[in-house]
């Protein structure tokens, strides 16, 4: 039924056997000389955030967990963030930013903490977790987007009260909030040390867009931010990068072309920066691909263009600069999204060796064997490099199978070595 998948499996077996017999192996994939090709593929996966009211905290059991974001602290602890939606799978209503701390490099379900809460503002929506670790200071920054319980992006009834919400049309109805942790993610606090997130909208959200209209809707990330090799903290956000060059004494905004929405950012091995974003609806209609801009904080960014290889169903994606500094391997950039223009369910890892210009190897997540109760996987994702040099990935799953209004969402965890991806296909 699925020729591509069968081919992939057969290919993977041949590849594995040949690797064993003739290692180091390079001949089947002539353009790649990645030592990770010779690794025995390893992978594990399990539900990380269950949804369907199986987990809860502070009097709420969550209907849905969506919008993953993961970072590794300086101590090697994994911090996996998600929106915890109290009563629905909608992106408005009572949403809090929840997280779990992972020890043991995320290897086993038992190595993860129970549910913890980073941010909650009454019954409002506090969403789009976008964490980043300042590797010099050890501080974990957590940027988020907020709107009040009576507003939403496009209207609809508040899931808790049933009352209508008003569409966001004015600056300030959607706001940027920040928290930080100085104790390896045990607690998150506002800038003033209180338990309340700090409102940074006045500094970090411009009032008008390029054409003069109000900067009304807004989004940070979602997904991991970036700490660059020269010590700049960067939060990718709608139409801009939010950054600090001095470990948070001053936060600034770099405006970008207003072509995309949900954003990712990575540093490439020449020190340049790479935005790989979800196109806005006009641009997506023109090219159903990921939209790319390259540049730097000091030199500005290029106009966005579509990457023809990176199919996209108008969805979030994640990017991970896997190797730069280590000299025992080539530079490696990993990309994860649904490689389709029509469905969010064809999630696939891709690897690039040339600063995200070409993507010669890939492997679909459908090659994982999921335990029962894992639902139908696909949607938003976030990746991290674990301290034991594996790829960790959070991916949304639809637990009710049918993609309807009330279906429960959760988040799956995958841990795999790069060899697992390289035993996929040259496609
Ligand atoms: C939403 O509720 C707040 C009070 O919580 C109120 O100040 C605000 O005007 C309301 N906004 C809309 C758009 O109804
Ligand atoms: C999308 O971005 C382009 C610029 O790249 C702009 O011309 C267009 O109006 C935008 N569309 C929407 C729906 O914002």
């Amino acid at each position: 039924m699925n020729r591509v998948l069968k081919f992939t499996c057969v290919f993977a077996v041949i590849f594995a056997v040949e690797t064993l017999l003739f290692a180091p192996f390079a001949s089947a994939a002539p353009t790649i000389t990645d030592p990770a090709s010779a690794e025995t593929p390893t992978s594990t996966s399990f539900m990380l955030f269950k949804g369907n009211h199986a987990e809860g905290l502070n009097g709420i059991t969550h209907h849905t967990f969506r919008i993953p974001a993961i970072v590794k602290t300086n101590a090697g602890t994994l911090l996996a963030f998600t929106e915890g939606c109290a009563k629905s799978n909608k992106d408005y209503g009572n949403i809090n930013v929840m997280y779990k701390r992972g020890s043991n490099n995320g290897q086993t379900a038992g190595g993860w903490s129970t549910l913890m809460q980073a941010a909650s503002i009454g019954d409002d929506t506090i969403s789009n977790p976008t964490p980043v670790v300042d590797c010099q200071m050890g501080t974990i920054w957590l940027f988020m987007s907020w709107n009040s319980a009576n507003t939403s992006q496009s209207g609809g009834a508040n899931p808790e009260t049933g009352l209508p919400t008003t569409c966001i049309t004015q600056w300030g109805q959607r706001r940027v909030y920040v928290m930080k942790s100085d104790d390896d993610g045990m607690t998150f606090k506002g800038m003033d040390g209180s338990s309340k997130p700090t409102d940074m909208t006045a500094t970090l959200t411009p009032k008008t867009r390029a054409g003069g209209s109000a900067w009304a809707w807004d989004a940070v990330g979602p997904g991991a931010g970036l700490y660059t090799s020269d010590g700049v903290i960067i939060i990718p956000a709608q139409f801009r990068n939010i950054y600090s060059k001095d470990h948070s004494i001053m936060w600034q905004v770099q405006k970008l072309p207003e072509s995309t929405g949900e954003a990712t950012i990575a540093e490439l091995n020449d020190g340049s920066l790479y935005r790989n974003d979800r196109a806005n609806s006009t641009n997506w209609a023109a090219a159903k691909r990921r939209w790319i801009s390259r540049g730097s904080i000091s030199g500005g960014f290029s106009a966005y263009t579509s990457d023809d290889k990176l199919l996209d169903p108008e969805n979030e994606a994640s990017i991970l600069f896997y190797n730069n500094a280590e000299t025992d391997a080539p530079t490696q950039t990993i990309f994860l999204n649904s490689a389709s223009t029509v469905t969010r369910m064809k999630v696939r890892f891709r690897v690039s060796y040339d600063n995200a210009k070409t993507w010669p190897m890939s492997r679909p997540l459908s090659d994982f064997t999921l335990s029962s109760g894992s639902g139908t996987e696909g949607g938003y994702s976030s990746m991290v490099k674990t301290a034991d040099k594996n790829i960790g990935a959070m991916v949304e799953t639809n637990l009710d199978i049918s993609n309807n209004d009330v279906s429960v969402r959760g988040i799956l965890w995958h841990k795999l070595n790069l060899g697992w991806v390289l035993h996929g296909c040259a496609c």
Side-chain angles (χ1 to χ4, degrees), residues 148 150-151 166 173:
S148 74
N150 55 7
T151 59
T166 306
Q173 288 182 319

Side-chain angles (χ1 to χ4, degrees), residues 106-254:
Q107 188 64 37
T108 54
W112 290 89
S113 72
T114 54
L115 198 59
M116 300 168 82
Q117 182 171 283
S120 170
I121 302 184
D123 292 340
D124 293 349
T125 302
I126 180 106
S127 59
N128 285 45
T130 309
V132 55
V133 178
D134 178 335
C135 297
Q136 188 180 320
M137 310 298 281
T139 304
I140 302 122
W141 291 95
L142 176 61
F143 281 69
M144 296 162 286
S145 300
W146 169 95
N147 54 264
S148 74
N150 55 7
T151 59
S152 64
Q153 185 172 15
S154 348
N158 177 295
E160 283 76 37
T161 63
L163 296 171
T165 58
T166 306
C167 291
I168 290 168
T169 55
Q170 294 165 29
W171 181 87
Q173 288 182 319
R174 182 86 166 159
R175 305 187 77 87
V176 176
Y177 274 89
V178 182
M179 298 194 93
K180 64 171 184 165
S181 174
D182 286 312
D183 57 6
D184 201 46
M186 291 296 289
T187 58
F188 280 85
K189 294 186 160 67
M191 303 269 212
D192 61 359
S194 79
S195 63
K196 290 196 168 82
T198 303
D199 185 345
M200 296 285 286
T201 315
T203 316
L204 299 181
T205 311
K207 292 219 156 123
T208 51
R209 293 185 44 183
S213 61
W215 190 300
W217 181 253
D218 192 40
V220 295
L226 172 69
Y227 186 73
T228 68
S229 54
D230 55 355
V232 184
I233 309 168
I234 307 180
I235 291 84
Q238 176 190 279
F239 310 151
R240 67 201 189 283
N241 290 315
I242 294 169
Y243 68 96
S244 176
K245 288 182 157 177
D246 51 18
H247 308 285
S248 83
I249 296 168
M250 188 164 60
W251 292 100
Q252 302 182 71
V253 168
Q254 174 184 39

